[in-house]
Amino acid sequence: MHQSKCIVCKCKLKVRQRRPVNKHLGKYLRKTFLIESSESDFICGKCSRPAYRQAPFPVLHQANLQNGGQESTCCAGSPPSVRLRVQAASKSHAYCFICKKPGPKLIVVPQQLRTEVFVKHNILITAHSRCCPCHLDFSLSQFHPDTFVNFKSMDDAFVNKTTITELLDTVREFAIKSSVKRMSFENIEYYSDIDLQNMTGLNKEQFLDFHSMLKEHIRETPARSKSTTTGIFLFKMKTGISNSLLATLFGISKSSVRRAIAAVRTMLMQNFVQHYLGFQHISRENVIDTHTRTLAQSLLAEKNDQVILVIDGTYIYIQKSANFQFQRRSYSVHKGRPLVKPMVIVTTTGYFVSILGPYFSDSKNNDASILNHILCNNIEEIKEWIKPNDVFVVDHGFRDSITLLSNMGIHAEMPAFINKGVKQMPTEDANTSRLVTKVIYLRMFSM
């Protein structure tokens, strides 16, 4: 029994699958595949479908011959006559090519994203394709990671010469940019959680959460995107490397790095820090009920409405300044290197209430003088927040502030001093010192 085959793909055809090659199909086969056909030949539906789907062939207009016989055509592009063995997105404007849901709010995929999808997933998305906005992550200008995991396309891509030329140009530009591109946080999916945490101190989920708070307040520039601006700031805070080295790593100018760090820092001070740090971000009742240990309350407080705060100064080491006056005032004789002193105020559970300063590290700015300056100048309206009978847990460095705290009605809990000529503390002083140090150590271990 004679079995008919498709004239193009040579697959065996059943009776109901046979489509005679008519004049239009013969012209299509001759021009596309250089196949001469007759009326007795058959073609399958898959091979004949592109012949009816393609645009009409360009018609030459002899009247438009110009300048020595140059021809012009009625349409600029050639017909889609080249078949590519790649998955192609649908060209419908009515429904999404990913989830197949109808509009009306469908968007055009940007050219850069179309090129990235073709390079990474071997899926050809044309300018005629439309998709739902939910598939795009506009904060990072990319598709969601799992968008093309289960993407299936039954049709191969039929393109014309113009499309192939444009595709080669865009892939070439993408390859050139990828070869010369420095570090960037435009697509953090390129980094693993461990690598991102080593660079910024945050994993992917934390980075995206942090960036979502910043993206509405920082602007994108030709030199860097919003996510790269966030990454530069976190990279600087994590590593502490110089702006010159950051400029080399990210492929931007030193001034651009400086402006990126300043923009994020200013935004954090205006819209973030005031909600999580400072005496005005938390109430006394919240500190007493939530951030005070029961042991500290029983050891140091006499009433239930007393706030117990642990106060201590700390150091932030800095580089040697080129300004001579600032260099002298920031140099610490005790530590032998330049630094500044912030005053840290925490609760007995280790919760940060406020960080005041920083102050210079010269001999005038010891812990006691810094605390006196804070109280006398009512910084962050601390006098309205604290009340008489509150408890401040301090160390020996605040001994010159005891008088001022007593005049304000604040109970200062400080380890006792051993008297001159005495080798051992009295039992009462020793027990008092142990109570204070126990509260301080509990605060340290809970942080």
Side-chain angles (χ1 to χ4, degrees), residues 3 19 26 56 77 173 176 186 273 295 311 346 369:
Q3 292 182 346
R19 289 174 172 79
E173 293 177 1
I176 293 175
E186 293 181 6
V273 175
L295 180 61
I311 305 177
V346 301
S369 61

Side-chain angles (χ1 to χ4, degrees), residues 293 310 312 346-352 436-447:
R293 287 185 174 272
V310 182
D312 196 10
V346 301
T347 65
T348 55
T349 61
Y351 180 83
F352 283 82
V436 176
T437 54
K438 187 175 184 63
V439 172
I440 294 177
Y441 281 126
L442 285 174
R443 185 265 305 176
M444 293 175 59
F445 291 139
S446 61
M447 292 177 63

